[in-house]
């Protein structure tokens, strides 16, 4: 299985890749040049890892994912929050979006539960996805 992995908001540099299992005959590759190649998508074979370097200079909430949609259900997708303090000072949510949240009954202040930073009481649990990767229909 090959995964086409994509990083939103950044171009990364590949600094190392290799097999997940230590007893593999596949060698570890280290990229040591002064300017390793920059990409926003890589192809990653099964049972392999890659070590990436990004320059954290783009405040925001960024999505990373495998381009095979069914793999998102298996956990091959995530977001990371970069420089939340800078985002709070510099980014403004359009008033239309705030109004839309109010109409839907979603909090527009505080954390995702509408509370102070670490108070998560009242937060709605994430949607549960049941089944395994093998039970997700193949749409090819």
């Amino acid at each position: 299985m090959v995964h086409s992995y994509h990083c939103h908001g950044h171009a990364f540099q590949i600094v190392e890749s290799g097999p997940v299992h230590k007893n593999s005959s596949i060698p570890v590759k280290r990229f040591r040049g002064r300017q390793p190649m920059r990409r926003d998508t890589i192809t990653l074979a099964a049972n392999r890892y890659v070590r990436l370097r990004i320059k954290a200079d783009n405040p925001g909430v960024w999505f990373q994912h495998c381009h095979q949609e069914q793999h998102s259900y298996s956990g091959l997708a995530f977001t990371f929050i970069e420089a939340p303090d800078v985002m709070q000072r510099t980014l403004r949510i359009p008033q239309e979006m705030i109004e839309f949240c109010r109409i839907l009954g979603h909090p527009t202040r505080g954390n995702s539960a509408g509370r102070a930073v670490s108070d998560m009481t009242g937060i709605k649990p994430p949607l549960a996805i049941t089944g395994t990767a093998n039970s997700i229909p193949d749409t090819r």
Side-chain angles (χ1 to χ4, degrees):
M1 177 64 59
V2 175
H3 304 277
S4 177
Y5 181 78
H6 180 65
C7 175
H8 289 261
H10 296 83
F12 52 77
Q13 295 173 313
I14 302 168
V15 295
E16 184 179 292
S17 70
V20 171
H21 306 291
K22 295 191 184 301
N23 59 355
S24 174
S25 61
I26 300 169
V28 171
K29 293 181 185 175
R30 291 183 177 85
F31 304 91
R32 298 200 185 275
R34 295 186 81 199
Q35 292 292 325
M37 193 178 326
R38 293 172 57 91
R39 304 261 181 193
D40 69 356
T41 304
I42 57 170
T43 300
L44 187 61
N47 298 313
R48 307 263 306 177
Y49 75 90
V50 65
R51 183 173 295 160
L52 306 174
R53 174 176 36 204
I54 66 167
K55 185 174 183 180
D57 63 352
N58 193 6
V61 179
W62 301 108
F63 187 48
Q64 319 296 304
H65 61 96
C66 178
H67 269 175
Q68 294 187 34
E69 186 63 32
Q70 67 269 28
H71 291 170
S72 293
Y73 302 117
S74 301
L76 294 176
F78 66 93
T79 57
F80 70 91
I81 302 172
E82 181 177 334
D85 55 331
V86 174
M87 288 173 37
Q88 288 177 338
R89 287 192 316 269
T90 61
L91 299 179
R92 297 291 171 247
I93 298 171
Q95 188 58 41
E96 305 87 54
M97 295 306 297
I98 293 172
E99 192 56 34
F100 187 63
C101 288
R102 284 195 183 117
I103 291 168
L104 293 175
H106 298 302
T108 58
R109 299 241 188 263
N111 61 24
S112 58
R115 306 272 190 272
V117 177
S118 60
D119 179 3
M120 300 304 274
T121 56
I123 193 167
K124 295 177 183 176
L127 294 174
I129 298 173
T130 59
T132 65
N134 293 333
S135 67
I136 298 168
D138 189 346
T139 56
R140 286 181 275 159

